[in-house]
Amino acid sequence: MSEDRTRFTCPFCGAEFEVPKTFVYATCPYCGTTFRVDKPEAQVEHYLFSVNFDKNAAYKLMKDFALLQVGVAEDFESSTEFVSAYQYLVPLYIFEVNVKALCRGEKVEADEEKVEINVHGGEEAAYVITPATHALPIGIPQGYSFPARSRRFFKPSVLKDGVYLQPSLNPEHVFSTVKEPYLRKAVSEAQTACGSGYEVADNSKYIGLAHYPFWLIRYRYRGREYIAIIDASDGTALYLEYPISARGRAAGLAMGLAATLFAGVVGGATTILLMKSFTPGLIGGAIASLPALAVAVQRFAKSKGVYRFKPSEEAVFAPVR
């Protein structure tokens, strides 16, 4: 056994196996039990989100989505061929946030008796799913909402189906970070309701570890390779490269030249009016048109379009969300 690995005995089935010392969690390859490396006696709930789109369905979805992009090559569908698809299982932590900022007990009369009650100054509850590592080989936008439905307990057999990524972040540190904005909001509401007389009750809990599937698809169009990233659970296109047609490039050039002409005319006219001179006006117009001219050239030279999913625009394309 190498110095950078540790040998474990599964606390559930008794099987022995090795894991790198840098791992936060270890999963028994025989029975699927997952536990903290620093606390082998503590079993961890480990889930796997369902793969609802296999590589063929994901590839078809990618092609259909590419056809919706402005300027995509006219023969895209007929001239595109599949190259490869790799499934990445991305580690996630699942938390249930439940924080309350209670106004301190007040004495009130009820049936001629004084009783103590707690008034809720502020309360926040949420189900939070967040990446358990920063070392992701695929781009997942910040704030991406992983659906909490359709998950099952993890089984070691899925390791042969894709690239399994290990969690590397301390779950306690992540938990503290994700709770902070909810705690601040609850406290702010309590300060409004009861001033400084409040107490915080934190009933948040760590649900467990999960792995979420994504497809990294490579395809070829007229000898050139492009890539796409598809959510294998709900079909969302996170990233897409696609070929731009000659017509689309020409349209981009025309738009750029039009912008160049407009900037030149406006800049020249403005300079002539201010300086009462024709030559400085031409120079001023030319200088004003340079940025637009650069954009026009870039658009004409560009043969690849890129789409990136933005969580703020989630409603634009969400097949099953």
Side-chain angles (χ1 to χ4, degrees), residues 90-91 93 130-136 165-169:
V90 173
Y93 289 142
T130 184
T133 179
H134 290 320
L136 293 176
L165 303 177
Q166 285 284 348
S168 60
L169 301 178

Side-chain angles (χ1 to χ4, degrees), residues 101-106 118-119 121 190-200:
L102 306 173
C103 295
R104 290 201 178 97
E106 299 176 353
N118 282 322
V119 179
Q191 289 173 338
T192 300
C194 44
S196 60
Y198 65 86
E199 297 176 350
V200 175

Side-chain angles (χ1 to χ4, degrees), residues 92-312:
L92 307 171
Y93 289 142
I94 306 176
F95 305 107
E96 183 180 335
V97 177
N98 188 340
V99 292
K100 300 176 183 178
L102 306 173
C103 295
R104 290 201 178 97
E106 299 176 353
K107 301 293 185 177
V108 298
E109 292 186 5
D111 297 329
E112 299 182 352
E113 294 183 2
K114 293 198 174 194
V115 297
E116 187 173 325
I117 64 170
N118 282 322
V119 179
H120 282 197
E123 180 176 357
E124 294 295 323
Y127 205 69
V128 181
I129 304 176
T130 184
T133 179
H134 290 320
L136 293 176
I138 58 175
I140 299 176
Q142 187 174 5
Y144 186 71
S145 60
F146 302 92
R149 63 182 181 278
S150 189
R151 71 173 188 263
R152 54 189 169 84
F153 281 105
F154 183 87
K155 293 183 178 180
S157 59
V158 305
L159 298 180
K160 61 180 175 51
D161 298 328
V163 181
Y164 181 85
L165 303 177
Q166 285 284 348
S168 60
L169 301 178
N170 185 304
E172 283 80 17
H173 294 168
V174 176
F175 198 10
S176 176
T177 300
V178 299
K179 277 195 306 183
E180 183 60 27
Y182 298 98
L183 181 60
R184 283 201 309 266
K185 187 174 181 181
V187 168
S188 176
E189 293 170 351
Q191 289 173 338
T192 300
C194 44
S196 60
Y198 65 86
E199 297 176 350
V200 175
D202 186 356
N203 296 314
S204 304
K205 59 183 178 180
Y206 171 43
I207 302 297
L209 171 69
H211 275 80
Y212 197 95
F214 292 94
W215 286 109
L216 175 63
I217 296 176
R218 297 183 184 276
Y219 70 96
R220 185 178 294 111
Y221 170 81
R222 293 186 175 275
R224 183 174 180 179
E225 281 197 8
Y226 300 81
I227 66 172
I229 299 173
I230 303 294
D231 185 319
S233 185
D234 79 350
T236 298
L238 276 72
Y239 178 83
L240 171 67
E241 296 176 354
Y242 58 93
I244 298 177
S245 67
R247 183 183 302 174
R249 294 167 64 193
L253 177 62
M255 291 176 62
L257 291 176
T260 300
L261 179 61
F262 179 76
V265 171
V266 172
T270 302
T271 308
I272 290 172
L273 288 174
L274 293 175
M275 301 184 67
K276 307 298 184 181
S277 176
F278 183 73
T279 301
L282 289 178
I283 296 174
I287 293 175
S289 67
L290 287 179
L293 181 59
V295 171
V297 173
Q298 289 174 2
R299 285 179 174 173
F300 183 70
K302 189 177 181 182
S303 61
K304 181 179 72 174
V306 175
Y307 165 85
R308 290 182 175 85
F309 177 83
K310 297 179 181 178
S312 60

